[in-house]
Amino acid sequence: YDKDTVSSILDRKANNQNGQKTVQDDQVNVNEDYMGNYRFAPIEEAQVSRAMIKRYFESMYERAISDVVIVGAGSAGLSCAYQLAKSAPHLKITILEAGVAPGGGAWLGGQLMTAMVVRKPADRFLTELGVPFDDEGNFVVVKHAALFTSTLLSKVLSFPNVTLFNATAVEDLIMRPDPLSNSQRIGGVVTNWTLVALNHMTQSCMDPNTITAPVVVSATGHDGPMGAFCAKRLVSSGVLKELGEMRALDMNRAEPAIVNGTREVQPGLIMTGMELSEYDGSNRMGPTFGAMMGSGIKAAHEALRILER
Ligand code: AHZ
């Protein structure tokens, strides 16, 4: 910073006769702080631990019974969380994300490039969030995918009814016989910290935990190290015969198929985003993100419909 500016402000402060607080006084404090006098309020190490532990375990206790669990905090899962939290502030919405960093594949566009392409009419969601974009006619471009994801994430986390547990993997589903559908109803999820989930082959018996909820929204993305988790579990548990498996890229077929196909695939389980392409055998769209937003919003409406039944 400019030392001349600082000293002229100090001079002005000294000349301030009436003792009233001025804008310049605030500026002087900031500058003085950063001239080697920056001091923190004192703290005990245990206070830091307790501040985190108390909140984390209170949240876990409270969210052991949730209204809606969203599995996966990618663009589809977060869009769903935003729409749901906004339309139904009374619902306890719990997001579980296996990764340390929520956001899934939406921190970048295609081939690790920064811009994010969104086909109309999904630009309406960007406008709702206040994310700026360039209008290119039939589609819009956000200058950096991270601008979309960080804005969406900050809005989702600001809703008092949303709790996010990151670094937490869904390891299984809770399933119960459903006399109404003569099938299995999903009644919640089985969880573990991701570092534990990744080590089941190296350590014996590290049992999981559970969260019950009348609605689970699965948004775990297409097949990958963890992706398409719930779709694959429906197959391995015998509820679904086989996966459709994601088909080759066709942007024009893929995006409407994902949005329009977003639905309750099993009683109590809604599927959204690219996980649905594995379930239904629909095309991938590559780096166009409007369908993730539209599908997430539709998943939120589906969740409300189930809860109102
Ligand atoms: O870490 C995963 C990611 O953040 C998380 N996840 C996966 N399995 C999980 C589990 N428990 C908890 N068992 C889990 N979390 O789910 C998130 C999925 O985000 P994503 O960005 O991969 O999926 P999406 O459907 O939201 O967005 C897909 C974006 C794509 S892929 C694609 C193409 O390949 O053509 N095109 C688009 C737009």
Side-chain angles (χ1 to χ4, degrees):
Y1 47 84
D2 183 347
K3 278 204 174 128
D4 289 341
T5 315
V6 172
S7 54
S8 76
I9 294 169
L10 286 169
D11 287 347
R12 263 183 280 147
K13 191 190 177 202
N15 293 335
N16 182 7
Q17 298 301 318
N18 61 14
Q20 279 179 353
K21 202 171 183 304
T22 63
V23 175
Q24 286 93 334
D25 286 342
D26 284 341
Q27 209 169 346
V28 168
N29 286 337
V30 169
N31 286 321
E32 281 173 347
D33 280 349
Y34 287 96
M35 289 172 84
N37 289 323
Y38 197 100
R39 287 200 186 86
F40 283 100
I43 200 163
E44 296 289 333
E45 283 75 10
Q47 286 181 289
V48 178
S49 304
R50 285 183 167 173
M52 295 186 294
I53 294 167
K54 183 170 179 289
R55 283 163 183 79
Y56 194 83
F57 287 99
E58 272 176 9
S59 293
M60 262 182 125
Y61 181 90
E62 196 236 342
R63 295 305 169 119
I65 303 174
S66 295
D67 294 311
V68 179
V69 166
I70 299 174
V71 190
S75 44
L78 288 174
S79 300
C80 174
Y82 174 87
Q83 187 63 36
L84 202 50
K86 191 183 158 200
S87 347
H90 59 285
L91 291 181
K92 287 202 274 180
I93 300 158
T94 304
I95 310 173
L96 300 170
E97 167 51 52
V100 170
W107 290 110
L108 288 163
Q111 200 167 332
L112 307 188
M113 289 182 279
T114 49
M116 173 184 262
V117 174
V118 177
R119 287 167 66 194
K120 291 182 180 178
D123 60 312
R124 289 199 294 244
F125 190 56
L126 298 174
T127 304
E128 152 96 21
L129 296 176
V131 174
F133 51 75
D134 294 333
D135 195 325
E136 301 255 356
N138 284 343
F139 64 93
V140 302
V141 185
V142 181
K143 72 171 182 184
H144 201 303
L147 178 58
F148 163 74
T149 300
S150 59
T151 306
L152 177 57
L153 195 54
S154 83
K155 289 194 187 279
V156 164
L157 289 175
S158 300
F159 285 112
N161 57 333
V162 171
T163 297
L164 164 70
F165 294 104
N166 41 342
T168 304
V170 167
E171 289 195 338
D172 207 342
L173 295 168
I174 300 174
M175 285 192 201
R176 304 190 172 106
D178 180 32
L180 283 178
S181 62
N182 211 15
S183 180
Q184 297 286 315
R185 182 176 184 84
I186 309 307
V189 292
V190 177
T191 65
N192 227 323
W193 285 307
T194 304
L195 289 178
V196 174
L198 291 172
N199 277 290
H200 284 305
M201 301 307 279
T202 64
Q203 304 288 322
S204 60
C205 200
M206 297 183 289
D207 274 329
N209 195 12
T210 61
I211 300 180
T212 57
V215 178
V216 174
V217 177
S218 194
T220 69
H222 60 64
D223 201 3
M226 289 215 148
F229 178 81
C230 295
K232 289 193 277 190
R233 188 63 181 119
L234 291 180
V235 175
S236 62
S237 64
V239 167
L240 180 69
K241 200 160 163 283
E242 58 186 359
L243 289 182
E245 291 191 11
M246 184 173 75
R247 303 291 159 88
L249 192 149
D250 179 344
M251 290 183 184
N252 283 308
R253 269 191 292 171
E255 292 213 89
I258 295 293
V259 179
N260 297 324
T262 301
R263 64 193 185 283
E264 185 181 21
V265 294
Q266 189 69 25
L269 180 71
I270 296 165
M271 204 162 279
T272 177
M274 284 310 280
E275 184 169 3
L276 200 60
S277 72
E278 299 286 359
Y279 187 95
D280 283 339
S282 51
N283 298 89
R284 71 191 303 181
M285 71 289 296
T288 55
F289 283 80
M292 300 304 109
M293 302 169 199
S295 172
I297 293 168
K298 184 160 183 220
H301 291 305
E302 286 288 289
L304 293 175
R305 196 182 52 75
I306 296 174
L307 290 168
E308 280 160 14
R309 255 193 327 234

